[in-house]
Amino acid sequence: MGAALAAARNNARTLLIERAGFAGGIITAVGLPYFDGIADKKTGRIVVRGIPFELLVKMGRCRPDATSIRPHNPTIDSTERFKLLADQWLGAHGEMLRVLYHTQVCDVESSGGHITKVFAANKDGLVAIEPRHVIDCTGDGDVAAWSGAPVEKTQPLMPMTLHFRIGNVRQTRELRARAKTALIEAEKAGQLPMFYGPGIIFQFADDEAYVHAIRVPGDATDAADLTRAEMQGRRDAWAMFQTWKKNVPGFEDSYFVTCGPYIGVRETRRLAGRYVLTEDDIRSRRRFDDAIATGCWYMDRHPNRTTVGTANTGNGGYQPDPYDIPYGAIVARRVGNLLVAGRCHSATAAAASSTRVTVTAMALGQAAGTAAAMASKTRTSVAELNGVKLREELSAQGAGPFTET
Ligand SMILES: Cc1cc2nc3c(=O)[nH]c(=O)nc-3n(C[C@H](O)[C@H](O)[C@H](O)COP(=O)(O)OP(=O)(O)OC[C@H]3O[C@@H](n4cnc5c(N)ncnc54)[C@H](O)[C@@H]3O)c2cc1C
């Protein structure tokens, strides 16, 4: 969304392709209402503006003139309303921005270091698109991998998580502790392979539990493994629900509301791009002249094959001060008309454990969309685009990296 909106705003004719029947990525596809990475944890200062900030304002979560926000990790009250907002906002750009939902990119054709065609499958059949520039925001680096741009995959990958909601639950003081005990028992009895937390959050309503607890190891770029993981996640969600309903006071009259629509994928391929952002860059707050976005989230790498009794992280990660992400971290090598934004941008596994969060992903998308439009205007390739000029353009549009005053 960030990439498509930015490209269209900058007068590039844009096509957004999305496999789901709605936009919004993990917020709507997994049901995750968090805008993490928008503000510095220590001060609450908003360090990412532009499209993610505008979305937060449009969702009524903060005022347009806000300079700080508490808590530093704001949430939105409805992922369904976010779908509607996405439709409206994407639809407001007329011919400049066309949207194809229910359309899965499935291959590319390249020649001379350029992507010449992107193939997508939808109800029209197999569709070929001839783009000037491509922005891969698949999370999995699908287009990058198929076009021959170097990518990497760190083993072991972080586990996947299916989020689910349980309705008609009464919140009691002991609820979480008892729910955890029930999961430990279920794991011992072989009804549950593993879990984390559980995070039981009364996020959307006082009588509805939003649950973070599933942990499924696997590789979401492998179709069979992704299918297995989705089934495992659903089985585990129901095992949790049933054990809580049977054993935990407060859940007696509860019912299963929904899960998904998709299992959440934390990690797969990442671009091995022109610049690979490192943990050291983040810790030392290395400054880049061609910085295009600011990261500020803690290093949050979930362990792969163990039950962990905390709700949101496996590693008690390092909390950095706001840091720069350079243009080179979204520029592909060997493919001149490809940018890669979102969680599959170019960073080491440790660095990406901070840069992967929602707001940082959107900010990288906005930078990529703006870059593609600038390159289109000047008939250059995104690979040749001057990152410092991009930074200036983003700044002129109220986006780009946070600069201390
Ligand atoms: C379970 C879980 C919990 C998390 N918790 C938090 C949290 O609390 N706070 C936080 O900030 N971050 C959290 N994250 C991380 C963060 O949400 C993601 O890393 C981030 O949203 C990634 O954004 P993205 O735009 O790169 O990818 P996504 O948001 O996943 O968007 C990718 C989009 O591309 C579409 N797509 C994929 N492949 C194709 C294809 N081939 N063709 C067409 N469309 C395709 C998908 O349907 C999706 O809409 C969590 C991640 C997971 C998995």
Side-chain angles (χ1 to χ4, degrees), residues 34-169:
Y34 304 123
F35 270 62
D36 290 349
I38 198 138
D40 178 4
K41 183 178 182 184
K42 289 173 197 151
T43 60
R45 266 181 323 187
I46 293 169
V47 295
V48 178
R49 294 203 165 263
I51 288 169
F53 179 72
E54 291 171 49
L55 283 167
L56 213 49
V57 171
K58 278 182 186 286
M59 286 301 290
R61 187 58 188 76
C62 71
R63 289 160 48 110
D65 58 353
T67 54
S68 65
I69 193 163
R70 292 281 182 196
H72 69 289
N73 50 348
T75 59
I76 54 171
D77 62 347
S78 168
T79 55
E80 289 300 315
R81 192 158 62 81
F82 193 76
K83 279 183 193 167
L84 194 67
L85 171 63
D87 290 344
Q88 287 165 347
W89 215 15
L90 292 167
H93 293 77
E95 279 303 298
M96 291 314 282
L97 175 47
R98 291 182 50 218
V99 178
L100 279 179
Y101 291 153
H102 297 294
T103 303
Q104 174 126 10
V105 172
C106 47
D107 203 359
V108 299
E109 193 177 272
S110 303
S111 164
H114 264 59
I115 296 172
T116 48
K117 283 188 183 144
V118 171
F119 296 100
N122 62 17
K123 281 294 191 180
D124 296 338
L126 190 63
V127 183
I129 298 127
E130 296 184 9
R132 190 170 288 161
H133 300 289
V134 183
I135 306 175
D136 180 345
C137 295
T138 58
D140 297 320
D142 287 352
V143 176
W146 297 332
S147 66
V151 291
E152 64 168 317
K153 210 190 272 178
T154 306
Q155 297 295 346
L157 295 166
M158 284 192 274
M160 293 174 244
T161 293
L162 185 73
H163 287 175
F164 60 101
R165 299 188 191 184
I166 298 175
N168 203 22
V169 192

Side-chain angles (χ1 to χ4, degrees), residues 283-295:
R283 284 180 180 265
S284 64
R285 298 185 79 200
R286 182 165 172 203
R287 291 300 179 203
F288 295 91
D289 292 341
D290 65 344
I292 49 156
T294 295

Side-chain angles (χ1 to χ4, degrees), residues 17-20 22-30 32 34-37 103-106 137-140 142 146 159-163 196 212 262-267 297 300 302 341-344 355-359 361-362:
I17 298 178
E18 169 57 55
R19 73 176 166 179
F22 44 79
I26 199 163
I27 294 175
T28 50
V30 178
L32 186 103
Y34 304 123
F35 270 62
D36 290 349
T103 303
Q104 174 126 10
V105 172
C106 47
C137 295
T138 58
D140 297 320
D142 287 352
W146 297 332
M160 293 174 244
T161 293
L162 185 73
H163 287 175
Y196 76 114
H212 290 222
Y262 295 85
I263 194 166
V265 179
R266 287 193 177 79
E267 184 179 35
W297 200 246
D300 181 17
H302 289 235
R343 76 171 158 84
C344 48
T355 57
R356 72 189 176 91
V357 292
T358 47
V359 165
M362 290 185 229

